[in-house]
């Protein structure tokens, strides 16, 4: 990923509506599947470290992170995170069955061989351990945004099911999210292709009060997810995988 994108993520994560909804999804999944605050959690592809800080605030004090990018490690250090190591998702520096929970938030799409990483997740997880995965959804939404962020693919739930089944996992839960913005994104991507709009990525600062409004919409979506456990469409997909 281009260094400018790391910088934008570092600047926007705390207040941007997109990251806020993803944090709420993470909190919901943790409450549902990882009630034990002492669980051994690894954040794979931890980026600038924001999820590790969030986990610390929620009381998950044993969480650690890895990322392949030296720049990501540097941003984590700027936030006072010493529990981060440089490592490839397909070659994790942990023993067999050592971990209980993996966070794999928007990582698989960056990997040429997502199956190799998934097999590695199965190796380091204890039997019954869970991998909480988010990925960009629906191949037809592919755009310049994916190219700039160095994605290899976007996913449907059927794609994740096949990947998981071949690597020793079962799907414990799944839901799409960013549901409310889905129609607007579909329209924008179609117009951008037609007009050949070229930009770095879709991640940009959002002015107030629009940012606050989108946060409220995100909160409503996650509340719906808590009630119904599943939303049928969205620009992102969350899946909880359990090691057989």
């Amino acid at each position: 990923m281009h260094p400018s994108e790391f910088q934008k993520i570092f600047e926007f994560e705390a207040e941007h509506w997109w990251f806020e909804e993803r944090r709420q999804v993470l909190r919901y999944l943790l409450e549902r599947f990882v009630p034990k605050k002492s669980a051994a959690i690894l954040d794979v592809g931890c980026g600038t470290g924001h999820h590790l800080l969030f986990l610390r605030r929620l009381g998950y004090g044993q969480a650690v992170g890895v990322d392949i990018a030296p720049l990501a490690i540097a941003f984590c250090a700027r936030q006072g995170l010493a529990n981060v190591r440089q490592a490839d998702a397909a070659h994790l520096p942990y023993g067999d069955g050592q971990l209980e929970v993996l966070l794999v938030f928007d990582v698989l799409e960056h990997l040429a061989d997502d199956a190799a990483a998934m097999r590695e997740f199965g190796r380091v997880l204890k039997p019954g351990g869970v991998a909480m995965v988010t990925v960009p959804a629906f191949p037809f939404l592919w755009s310049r945004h994916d190219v700039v962020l160095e994605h290899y693919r976007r996913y449907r739930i059927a794609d994740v099911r096949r990947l998981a089944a071949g690597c020793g996992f079962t799907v414990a839960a799944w839901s799409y999210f960013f549901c409310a913005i889905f129609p607007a994104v579909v329209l924008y991507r179609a117009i951008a292709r037609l007009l050949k709009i070229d930009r770095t990525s879709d991640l940009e600062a959002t002015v107030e009060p629009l940012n606050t409004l989108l946060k409220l919409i995100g909160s409503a979506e996650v509340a719906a997810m808590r009630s119904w456990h599943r939303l049928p469409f969205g620009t992102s997909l969350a899946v909880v995988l359990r090691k057989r």
Side-chain angles (χ1 to χ4, degrees), residues 40-42 92 94-104 118-132 167-169 241-244:
I41 300 176
L42 174 64
L92 296 173
Y94 295 91
D96 295 356
Q98 190 174 347
L99 301 168
E100 297 171 85
V101 182
L102 298 181
L103 301 186
V104 191
M118 191 68 73
R119 288 191 294 270
E120 180 71 347
F121 301 160
R123 183 187 68 79
V124 300
L125 279 173
K126 297 178 179 180
V130 296
M132 298 179 175
C167 298
F169 287 93
L241 306 174
R242 192 177 299 279
K243 180 180 175 180
R244 287 198 291 263

PDB file of all heavy atoms in Angstrom, residues 40-42 92 94-104 118-132 167-169 241-244:
ATOM      1  N   ALA A  40      -5.873 -14.857  24.154  1.00  0.00           N
ATOM      2  CA  ALA A  40      -4.644 -14.590  23.401  1.00  0.00           C
ATOM      3  C   ALA A  40      -5.036 -14.166  21.985  1.00  0.00           C
ATOM      4  O   ALA A  40      -5.400 -14.993  21.152  1.00  0.00           O
ATOM      5  CB  ALA A  40      -3.764 -15.829  23.370  1.00  0.00           C
ATOM      6  N   ILE A  41      -4.977 -12.850  21.706  1.00  0.00           N
ATOM      7  CA  ILE A  41      -5.452 -12.277  20.450  1.00  0.00           C
ATOM      8  C   ILE A  41      -4.265 -11.759  19.642  1.00  0.00           C
ATOM      9  O   ILE A  41      -3.396 -11.063  20.174  1.00  0.00           O
ATOM     10  CB  ILE A  41      -6.434 -11.115  20.703  1.00  0.00           C
ATOM     11  CG1 ILE A  41      -7.655 -11.605  21.500  1.00  0.00           C
ATOM     12  CG2 ILE A  41      -6.875 -10.478  19.392  1.00  0.00           C
ATOM     13  CD1 ILE A  41      -8.626 -10.496  21.870  1.00  0.00           C
ATOM     14  N   LEU A  42      -4.264 -12.076  18.349  1.00  0.00           N
ATOM     15  CA  LEU A  42      -3.274 -11.528  17.418  1.00  0.00           C
ATOM     16  C   LEU A  42      -3.998 -10.743  16.343  1.00  0.00           C
ATOM     17  O   LEU A  42      -4.879 -11.278  15.669  1.00  0.00           O
ATOM     18  CB  LEU A  42      -2.457 -12.650  16.773  1.00  0.00           C
ATOM     19  CG  LEU A  42      -1.476 -12.207  15.675  1.00  0.00           C
ATOM     20  CD1 LEU A  42      -0.390 -11.301  16.241  1.00  0.00           C
ATOM     21  CD2 LEU A  42      -0.860 -13.419  14.972  1.00  0.00           C
ATOM     22  N   LEU A  92       3.616 -16.673  10.315  1.00  0.00           N
ATOM     23  CA  LEU A  92       3.457 -15.994  11.592  1.00  0.00           C
ATOM     24  C   LEU A  92       4.459 -16.532  12.618  1.00  0.00           C
ATOM     25  O   LEU A  92       4.685 -17.744  12.680  1.00  0.00           O
ATOM     26  CB  LEU A  92       2.029 -16.171  12.109  1.00  0.00           C
ATOM     27  CG  LEU A  92       0.933 -15.541  11.239  1.00  0.00           C
ATOM     28  CD1 LEU A  92      -0.448 -15.926  11.755  1.00  0.00           C
ATOM     29  CD2 LEU A  92       1.081 -14.022  11.196  1.00  0.00           C
ATOM     30  N   TYR A  94       4.599 -17.600  15.548  1.00  0.00           N
ATOM     31  CA  TYR A  94       3.945 -18.207  16.701  1.00  0.00           C
ATOM     32  C   TYR A  94       3.895 -19.711  16.515  1.00  0.00           C
ATOM     33  O   TYR A  94       3.866 -20.221  15.392  1.00  0.00           O
ATOM     34  CB  TYR A  94       2.535 -17.630  16.894  1.00  0.00           C
ATOM     35  CG  TYR A  94       2.569 -16.172  17.248  1.00  0.00           C
ATOM     36  CD1 TYR A  94       2.519 -15.194  16.253  1.00  0.00           C
ATOM     37  CD2 TYR A  94       2.705 -15.757  18.566  1.00  0.00           C
ATOM     38  CE1 TYR A  94       2.599 -13.840  16.569  1.00  0.00           C
ATOM     39  CE2 TYR A  94       2.782 -14.404  18.894  1.00  0.00           C
ATOM     40  CZ  TYR A  94       2.732 -13.459  17.894  1.00  0.00           C
ATOM     41  OH  TYR A  94       2.816 -12.130  18.205  1.00  0.00           O
ATOM     42  N   GLY A  95       3.850 -20.416  17.638  1.00  0.00           N
ATOM     43  CA  GLY A  95       3.829 -21.864  17.601  1.00  0.00           C
ATOM     44  C   GLY A  95       2.465 -22.427  17.247  1.00  0.00           C
ATOM     45  O   GLY A  95       1.453 -21.712  17.241  1.00  0.00           O
ATOM     46  N   ASP A  96       2.426 -23.722  16.964  1.00  0.00           N
ATOM     47  CA  ASP A  96       1.169 -24.397  16.633  1.00  0.00           C
ATOM     48  C   ASP A  96       0.199 -24.291  17.810  1.00  0.00           C
ATOM     49  O   ASP A  96       0.561 -24.560  18.969  1.00  0.00           O
ATOM     50  CB  ASP A  96       1.425 -25.874  16.328  1.00  0.00           C
ATOM     51  CG  ASP A  96       2.275 -26.075  15.082  1.00  0.00           C
ATOM     52  OD1 ASP A  96       2.593 -25.076  14.415  1.00  0.00           O
ATOM     53  OD2 ASP A  96       2.625 -27.241  14.789  1.00  0.00           O
ATOM     54  N   GLY A  97      -1.039 -23.918  17.501  1.00  0.00           N
ATOM     55  CA  GLY A  97      -2.083 -23.877  18.518  1.00  0.00           C
ATOM     56  C   GLY A  97      -1.826 -22.915  19.657  1.00  0.00           C
ATOM     57  O   GLY A  97      -2.313 -23.113  20.773  1.00  0.00           O
ATOM     58  N   GLN A  98      -1.108 -21.841  19.409  1.00  0.00           N
ATOM     59  CA  GLN A  98      -0.714 -20.922  20.476  1.00  0.00           C
ATOM     60  C   GLN A  98      -1.749 -19.839  20.751  1.00  0.00           C
ATOM     61  O   GLN A  98      -1.785 -19.275  21.844  1.00  0.00           O
ATOM     62  CB  GLN A  98       0.622 -20.275  20.109  1.00  0.00           C
ATOM     63  CG  GLN A  98       1.265 -19.483  21.236  1.00  0.00           C
ATOM     64  CD  GLN A  98       2.649 -18.984  20.869  1.00  0.00           C
ATOM     65  OE1 GLN A  98       3.244 -19.414  19.881  1.00  0.00           O
ATOM     66  NE2 GLN A  98       3.182 -18.068  21.669  1.00  0.00           N
ATOM     67  N   LEU A  99      -2.611 -19.541  19.780  1.00  0.00           N
ATOM     68  CA  LEU A  99      -3.508 -18.390  19.891  1.00  0.00           C
ATOM     69  C   LEU A  99      -4.969 -18.813  19.926  1.00  0.00           C
ATOM     70  O   LEU A  99      -5.343 -19.859  19.406  1.00  0.00           O
ATOM     71  CB  LEU A  99      -3.266 -17.445  18.712  1.00  0.00           C
ATOM     72  CG  LEU A  99      -1.840 -16.889  18.592  1.00  0.00           C
ATOM     73  CD1 LEU A  99      -1.636 -16.217  17.248  1.00  0.00           C
ATOM     74  CD2 LEU A  99      -1.551 -15.911  19.721  1.00  0.00           C
ATOM     75  N   GLU A 100      -5.786 -17.949  20.527  1.00  0.00           N
ATOM     76  CA  GLU A 100      -7.220 -18.219  20.624  1.00  0.00           C
ATOM     77  C   GLU A 100      -8.038 -17.421  19.613  1.00  0.00           C
ATOM     78  O   GLU A 100      -9.092 -17.883  19.168  1.00  0.00           O
ATOM     79  CB  GLU A 100      -7.714 -17.889  22.038  1.00  0.00           C
ATOM     80  CG  GLU A 100      -7.098 -18.735  23.125  1.00  0.00           C
ATOM     81  CD  GLU A 100      -7.442 -18.227  24.513  1.00  0.00           C
ATOM     82  OE1 GLU A 100      -8.525 -18.599  25.011  1.00  0.00           O
ATOM     83  OE2 GLU A 100      -6.646 -17.458  25.074  1.00  0.00           O
ATOM     84  N   VAL A 101      -7.566 -16.230  19.266  1.00  0.00           N
ATOM     85  CA  VAL A 101      -8.331 -15.329  18.397  1.00  0.00           C
ATOM     86  C   VAL A 101      -7.380 -14.618  17.436  1.00  0.00           C
ATOM     87  O   VAL A 101      -6.320 -14.134  17.848  1.00  0.00           O
ATOM     88  CB  VAL A 101      -9.100 -14.270  19.215  1.00  0.00           C
ATOM     89  CG1 VAL A 101      -9.921 -13.378  18.298  1.00  0.00           C
ATOM     90  CG2 VAL A 101      -9.981 -14.926  20.266  1.00  0.00           C
ATOM     91  N   LEU A 102      -7.781 -14.553  16.177  1.00  0.00           N
ATOM     92  CA  LEU A 102      -7.082 -13.737  15.195  1.00  0.00           C
ATOM     93  C   LEU A 102      -8.029 -12.660  14.695  1.00  0.00           C
ATOM     94  O   LEU A 102      -9.197 -12.942  14.392  1.00  0.00           O
ATOM     95  CB  LEU A 102      -6.620 -14.576  14.002  1.00  0.00           C
ATOM     96  CG  LEU A 102      -5.623 -15.703  14.259  1.00  0.00           C
ATOM     97  CD1 LEU A 102      -5.276 -16.388  12.945  1.00  0.00           C
ATOM     98  CD2 LEU A 102      -4.371 -15.204  14.942  1.00  0.00           C
ATOM     99  N   LEU A 103      -7.538 -11.436  14.603  1.00  0.00           N
ATOM    100  CA  LEU A 103      -8.243 -10.375  13.884  1.00  0.00           C
ATOM    101  C   LEU A 103      -7.560 -10.218  12.543  1.00  0.00           C
ATOM    102  O   LEU A 103      -6.347  -9.991  12.478  1.00  0.00           O
ATOM    103  CB  LEU A 103      -8.189  -9.046  14.641  1.00  0.00           C
ATOM    104  CG  LEU A 103      -8.759  -8.994  16.054  1.00  0.00           C
ATOM    105  CD1 LEU A 103      -8.742  -7.552  16.545  1.00  0.00           C
ATOM    106  CD2 LEU A 103     -10.151  -9.565  16.105  1.00  0.00           C
ATOM    107  N   VAL A 104      -8.340 -10.342  11.483  1.00  0.00           N
ATOM    108  CA  VAL A 104      -7.795 -10.243  10.128  1.00  0.00           C
ATOM    109  C   VAL A 104      -8.677  -9.244   9.384  1.00  0.00           C
ATOM    110  O   VAL A 104      -9.499  -9.609   8.545  1.00  0.00           O
ATOM    111  CB  VAL A 104      -7.771 -11.620   9.427  1.00  0.00           C
ATOM    112  CG1 VAL A 104      -6.951 -11.549   8.146  1.00  0.00           C
ATOM    113  CG2 VAL A 104      -7.215 -12.697  10.352  1.00  0.00           C
ATOM    114  N   MET A 118      -4.585 -18.438   5.135  1.00  0.00           N
ATOM    115  CA  MET A 118      -5.648 -19.082   5.898  1.00  0.00           C
ATOM    116  C   MET A 118      -5.156 -20.384   6.542  1.00  0.00           C
ATOM    117  O   MET A 118      -5.504 -20.699   7.691  1.00  0.00           O
ATOM    118  CB  MET A 118      -6.844 -19.357   4.987  1.00  0.00           C
ATOM    119  CG  MET A 118      -8.092 -19.791   5.726  1.00  0.00           C
ATOM    120  SD  MET A 118      -8.832 -18.484   6.742  1.00  0.00           S
ATOM    121  CE  MET A 118      -9.532 -17.435   5.480  1.00  0.00           C
ATOM    122  N   ARG A 119      -4.330 -21.132   5.831  1.00  0.00           N
ATOM    123  CA  ARG A 119      -3.761 -22.347   6.426  1.00  0.00           C
ATOM    124  C   ARG A 119      -2.857 -21.999   7.608  1.00  0.00           C
ATOM    125  O   ARG A 119      -2.835 -22.715   8.617  1.00  0.00           O
ATOM    126  CB  ARG A 119      -2.989 -23.136   5.368  1.00  0.00           C
ATOM    127  CG  ARG A 119      -3.874 -23.816   4.337  1.00  0.00           C
ATOM    128  CD  ARG A 119      -3.093 -24.788   3.474  1.00  0.00           C
ATOM    129  NE  ARG A 119      -2.115 -24.105   2.626  1.00  0.00           N
ATOM    130  CZ  ARG A 119      -2.362 -23.666   1.402  1.00  0.00           C
ATOM    131  NH1 ARG A 119      -3.564 -23.821   0.863  1.00  0.00           N
ATOM    132  NH2 ARG A 119      -1.409 -23.066   0.686  1.00  0.00           N
ATOM    133  N   GLU A 120      -2.129 -20.900   7.490  1.00  0.00           N
ATOM    134  CA  GLU A 120      -1.274 -20.462   8.590  1.00  0.00           C
ATOM    135  C   GLU A 120      -2.115 -20.044   9.790  1.00  0.00           C
ATOM    136  O   GLU A 120      -1.750 -20.320  10.942  1.00  0.00           O
ATOM    137  CB  GLU A 120      -0.385 -19.311   8.128  1.00  0.00           C
ATOM    138  CG  GLU A 120       0.550 -18.761   9.177  1.00  0.00           C
ATOM    139  CD  GLU A 120       1.699 -19.694   9.529  1.00  0.00           C
ATOM    140  OE1 GLU A 120       1.658 -20.888   9.156  1.00  0.00           O
ATOM    141  OE2 GLU A 120       2.648 -19.241  10.189  1.00  0.00           O
ATOM    142  N   PHE A 121      -3.251 -19.415   9.543  1.00  0.00           N
ATOM    143  CA  PHE A 121      -4.153 -19.057  10.638  1.00  0.00           C
ATOM    144  C   PHE A 121      -4.598 -20.320  11.371  1.00  0.00           C
ATOM    145  O   PHE A 121      -4.658 -20.352  12.603  1.00  0.00           O
ATOM    146  CB  PHE A 121      -5.379 -18.308  10.119  1.00  0.00           C
ATOM    147  CG  PHE A 121      -5.067 -17.035   9.384  1.00  0.00           C
ATOM    148  CD1 PHE A 121      -6.013 -16.476   8.520  1.00  0.00           C
ATOM    149  CD2 PHE A 121      -3.852 -16.379   9.526  1.00  0.00           C
ATOM    150  CE1 PHE A 121      -5.741 -15.297   7.839  1.00  0.00           C
ATOM    151  CE2 PHE A 121      -3.568 -15.201   8.843  1.00  0.00           C
ATOM    152  CZ  PHE A 121      -4.517 -14.660   8.000  1.00  0.00           C
ATOM    153  N   GLY A 122      -4.921 -21.360  10.609  1.00  0.00           N
ATOM    154  CA  GLY A 122      -5.320 -22.609  11.224  1.00  0.00           C
ATOM    155  C   GLY A 122      -4.197 -23.235  12.045  1.00  0.00           C
ATOM    156  O   GLY A 122      -4.453 -23.869  13.080  1.00  0.00           O
ATOM    157  N   ARG A 123      -2.970 -23.063  11.605  1.00  0.00           N
ATOM    158  CA  ARG A 123      -1.832 -23.636  12.346  1.00  0.00           C
ATOM    159  C   ARG A 123      -1.665 -22.990  13.715  1.00  0.00           C
ATOM    160  O   ARG A 123      -1.459 -23.673  14.721  1.00  0.00           O
ATOM    161  CB  ARG A 123      -0.543 -23.465  11.541  1.00  0.00           C
ATOM    162  CG  ARG A 123       0.685 -24.097  12.217  1.00  0.00           C
ATOM    163  CD  ARG A 123       1.965 -23.769  11.493  1.00  0.00           C
ATOM    164  NE  ARG A 123       2.334 -22.349  11.577  1.00  0.00           N
ATOM    165  CZ  ARG A 123       2.912 -21.786  12.652  1.00  0.00           C
ATOM    166  NH1 ARG A 123       3.178 -22.518  13.738  1.00  0.00           N
ATOM    167  NH2 ARG A 123       3.222 -20.501  12.642  1.00  0.00           N
ATOM    168  N   VAL A 124      -1.751 -21.660  13.783  1.00  0.00           N
ATOM    169  CA  VAL A 124      -1.450 -20.973  15.043  1.00  0.00           C
ATOM    170  C   VAL A 124      -2.643 -20.932  15.994  1.00  0.00           C
ATOM    171  O   VAL A 124      -2.459 -20.651  17.187  1.00  0.00           O
ATOM    172  CB  VAL A 124      -0.929 -19.543  14.789  1.00  0.00           C
ATOM    173  CG1 VAL A 124       0.347 -19.579  13.956  1.00  0.00           C
ATOM    174  CG2 VAL A 124      -1.983 -18.661  14.138  1.00  0.00           C
ATOM    175  N   LEU A 125      -3.843 -21.197  15.509  1.00  0.00           N
ATOM    176  CA  LEU A 125      -5.021 -21.174  16.371  1.00  0.00           C
ATOM    177  C   LEU A 125      -5.191 -22.504  17.112  1.00  0.00           C
ATOM    178  O   LEU A 125      -4.912 -23.572  16.574  1.00  0.00           O
ATOM    179  CB  LEU A 125      -6.284 -20.903  15.555  1.00  0.00           C
ATOM    180  CG  LEU A 125      -6.596 -19.459  15.196  1.00  0.00           C
ATOM    181  CD1 LEU A 125      -7.783 -19.403  14.236  1.00  0.00           C
ATOM    182  CD2 LEU A 125      -6.889 -18.612  16.441  1.00  0.00           C
ATOM    183  N   LYS A 126      -5.689 -22.401  18.322  1.00  0.00           N
ATOM    184  CA  LYS A 126      -6.077 -23.588  19.074  1.00  0.00           C
ATOM    185  C   LYS A 126      -7.324 -24.196  18.436  1.00  0.00           C
ATOM    186  O   LYS A 126      -8.096 -23.487  17.780  1.00  0.00           O
ATOM    187  CB  LYS A 126      -6.388 -23.217  20.522  1.00  0.00           C
ATOM    188  CG  LYS A 126      -5.204 -22.669  21.296  1.00  0.00           C
ATOM    189  CD  LYS A 126      -5.619 -22.291  22.711  1.00  0.00           C
ATOM    190  CE  LYS A 126      -4.417 -21.764  23.493  1.00  0.00           C
ATOM    191  NZ  LYS A 126      -4.783 -21.397  24.875  1.00  0.00           N
ATOM    192  N   PRO A 127      -7.555 -25.508  18.604  1.00  0.00           N
ATOM    193  CA  PRO A 127      -8.825 -26.075  18.134  1.00  0.00           C
ATOM    194  C   PRO A 127     -10.002 -25.316  18.743  1.00  0.00           C
ATOM    195  O   PRO A 127     -10.032 -25.042  19.948  1.00  0.00           O
ATOM    196  CB  PRO A 127      -8.766 -27.523  18.651  1.00  0.00           C
ATOM    197  CG  PRO A 127      -7.296 -27.818  18.748  1.00  0.00           C
ATOM    198  CD  PRO A 127      -6.657 -26.525  19.181  1.00  0.00           C
ATOM    199  N   GLY A 128     -10.945 -24.942  17.908  1.00  0.00           N
ATOM    200  CA  GLY A 128     -12.071 -24.139  18.365  1.00  0.00           C
ATOM    201  C   GLY A 128     -11.804 -22.653  18.380  1.00  0.00           C
ATOM    202  O   GLY A 128     -12.714 -21.856  18.630  1.00  0.00           O
ATOM    203  N   GLY A 129     -10.558 -22.234  18.103  1.00  0.00           N
ATOM    204  CA  GLY A 129     -10.235 -20.815  18.038  1.00  0.00           C
ATOM    205  C   GLY A 129     -10.915 -20.150  16.863  1.00  0.00           C
ATOM    206  O   GLY A 129     -11.358 -20.813  15.916  1.00  0.00           O
ATOM    207  N   VAL A 130     -10.989 -18.825  16.912  1.00  0.00           N
ATOM    208  CA  VAL A 130     -11.723 -18.106  15.869  1.00  0.00           C
ATOM    209  C   VAL A 130     -10.842 -17.073  15.170  1.00  0.00           C
ATOM    210  O   VAL A 130      -9.949 -16.471  15.778  1.00  0.00           O
ATOM    211  CB  VAL A 130     -12.993 -17.405  16.420  1.00  0.00           C
ATOM    212  CG1 VAL A 130     -13.983 -18.424  16.934  1.00  0.00           C
ATOM    213  CG2 VAL A 130     -12.638 -16.387  17.497  1.00  0.00           C
ATOM    214  N   ALA A 131     -11.101 -16.912  13.896  1.00  0.00           N
ATOM    215  CA  ALA A 131     -10.515 -15.839  13.096  1.00  0.00           C
ATOM    216  C   ALA A 131     -11.647 -14.905  12.690  1.00  0.00           C
ATOM    217  O   ALA A 131     -12.616 -15.339  12.048  1.00  0.00           O
ATOM    218  CB  ALA A 131      -9.807 -16.385  11.868  1.00  0.00           C
ATOM    219  N   MET A 132     -11.547 -13.641  13.082  1.00  0.00           N
ATOM    220  CA  MET A 132     -12.539 -12.637  12.712  1.00  0.00           C
ATOM    221  C   MET A 132     -12.000 -11.874  11.518  1.00  0.00           C
ATOM    222  O   MET A 132     -10.980 -11.185  11.619  1.00  0.00           O
ATOM    223  CB  MET A 132     -12.806 -11.693  13.883  1.00  0.00           C
ATOM    224  CG  MET A 132     -13.380 -12.389  15.090  1.00  0.00           C
ATOM    225  SD  MET A 132     -13.642 -11.229  16.447  1.00  0.00           S
ATOM    226  CE  MET A 132     -14.443 -12.323  17.620  1.00  0.00           C
ATOM    227  N   CYS A 167      -9.402 -24.926   4.209  1.00  0.00           N
ATOM    228  CA  CYS A 167      -8.284 -24.668   5.126  1.00  0.00           C
ATOM    229  C   CYS A 167      -8.608 -25.048   6.567  1.00  0.00           C
ATOM    230  O   CYS A 167      -7.928 -24.603   7.506  1.00  0.00           O
ATOM    231  CB  CYS A 167      -7.884 -23.200   5.050  1.00  0.00           C
ATOM    232  SG  CYS A 167      -7.308 -22.685   3.412  1.00  0.00           S
ATOM    233  N   GLY A 168      -9.653 -25.843   6.750  1.00  0.00           N
ATOM    234  CA  GLY A 168      -9.932 -26.368   8.081  1.00  0.00           C
ATOM    235  C   GLY A 168     -10.787 -25.498   8.971  1.00  0.00           C
ATOM    236  O   GLY A 168     -10.768 -25.639  10.194  1.00  0.00           O
ATOM    237  N   PHE A 169     -11.578 -24.598   8.386  1.00  0.00           N
ATOM    238  CA  PHE A 169     -12.441 -23.720   9.157  1.00  0.00           C
ATOM    239  C   PHE A 169     -13.910 -23.942   8.792  1.00  0.00           C
ATOM    240  O   PHE A 169     -14.226 -24.329   7.665  1.00  0.00           O
ATOM    241  CB  PHE A 169     -12.111 -22.249   8.881  1.00  0.00           C
ATOM    242  CG  PHE A 169     -10.834 -21.769   9.496  1.00  0.00           C
ATOM    243  CD1 PHE A 169      -9.642 -21.811   8.773  1.00  0.00           C
ATOM    244  CD2 PHE A 169     -10.808 -21.262  10.784  1.00  0.00           C
ATOM    245  CE1 PHE A 169      -8.464 -21.357   9.321  1.00  0.00           C
ATOM    246  CE2 PHE A 169      -9.631 -20.799  11.344  1.00  0.00           C
ATOM    247  CZ  PHE A 169      -8.452 -20.854  10.619  1.00  0.00           C
ATOM    248  N   LEU A 241     -14.702 -17.194  11.517  1.00  0.00           N
ATOM    249  CA  LEU A 241     -14.331 -18.553  11.149  1.00  0.00           C
ATOM    250  C   LEU A 241     -13.847 -19.286  12.391  1.00  0.00           C
ATOM    251  O   LEU A 241     -13.064 -18.749  13.184  1.00  0.00           O
ATOM    252  CB  LEU A 241     -13.222 -18.538  10.090  1.00  0.00           C
ATOM    253  CG  LEU A 241     -13.491 -17.734   8.833  1.00  0.00           C
ATOM    254  CD1 LEU A 241     -12.258 -17.701   7.950  1.00  0.00           C
ATOM    255  CD2 LEU A 241     -14.672 -18.324   8.084  1.00  0.00           C
ATOM    256  N   ARG A 242     -14.324 -20.506  12.561  1.00  0.00           N
ATOM    257  CA  ARG A 242     -13.904 -21.319  13.706  1.00  0.00           C
ATOM    258  C   ARG A 242     -13.075 -22.493  13.233  1.00  0.00           C
ATOM    259  O   ARG A 242     -13.457 -23.207  12.285  1.00  0.00           O
ATOM    260  CB  ARG A 242     -15.118 -21.811  14.495  1.00  0.00           C
ATOM    261  CG  ARG A 242     -14.732 -22.424  15.849  1.00  0.00           C
ATOM    262  CD  ARG A 242     -15.963 -22.838  16.643  1.00  0.00           C
ATOM    263  NE  ARG A 242     -16.846 -21.741  16.942  1.00  0.00           N
ATOM    264  CZ  ARG A 242     -16.666 -20.874  17.935  1.00  0.00           C
ATOM    265  NH1 ARG A 242     -15.580 -20.974  18.703  1.00  0.00           N
ATOM    266  NH2 ARG A 242     -17.534 -19.909  18.148  1.00  0.00           N
ATOM    267  N   LYS A 243     -11.923 -22.703  13.883  1.00  0.00           N
ATOM    268  CA  LYS A 243     -11.062 -23.812  13.511  1.00  0.00           C
ATOM    269  C   LYS A 243     -11.698 -25.131  13.936  1.00  0.00           C
ATOM    270  O   LYS A 243     -12.122 -25.284  15.072  1.00  0.00           O
ATOM    271  CB  LYS A 243      -9.697 -23.665  14.192  1.00  0.00           C
ATOM    272  CG  LYS A 243      -8.717 -24.795  13.862  1.00  0.00           C
ATOM    273  CD  LYS A 243      -7.392 -24.591  14.564  1.00  0.00           C
ATOM    274  CE  LYS A 243      -6.468 -25.773  14.323  1.00  0.00           C
ATOM    275  NZ  LYS A 243      -5.155 -25.594  14.995  1.00  0.00           N
ATOM    276  N   ARG A 244     -11.768 -26.056  12.989  1.00  0.00           N
ATOM    277  CA  ARG A 244     -12.350 -27.349  13.295  1.00  0.00           C
ATOM    278  C   ARG A 244     -11.446 -28.143  14.230  1.00  0.00           C
ATOM    279  O   ARG A 244     -10.226 -28.014  14.173  1.00  0.00           O
ATOM    280  CB  ARG A 244     -12.574 -28.155  11.997  1.00  0.00           C
ATOM    281  CG  ARG A 244     -13.724 -27.622  11.168  1.00  0.00           C
ATOM    282  CD  ARG A 244     -14.203 -28.647  10.155  1.00  0.00           C
ATOM    283  NE  ARG A 244     -13.208 -28.876   9.108  1.00  0.00           N
ATOM    284  CZ  ARG A 244     -13.203 -28.306   7.921  1.00  0.00           C
ATOM    285  NH1 ARG A 244     -14.159 -27.436   7.621  1.00  0.00           N
ATOM    286  NH2 ARG A 244     -12.290 -28.552   7.030  1.00  0.00           N
TER     287      ARG A 244
END
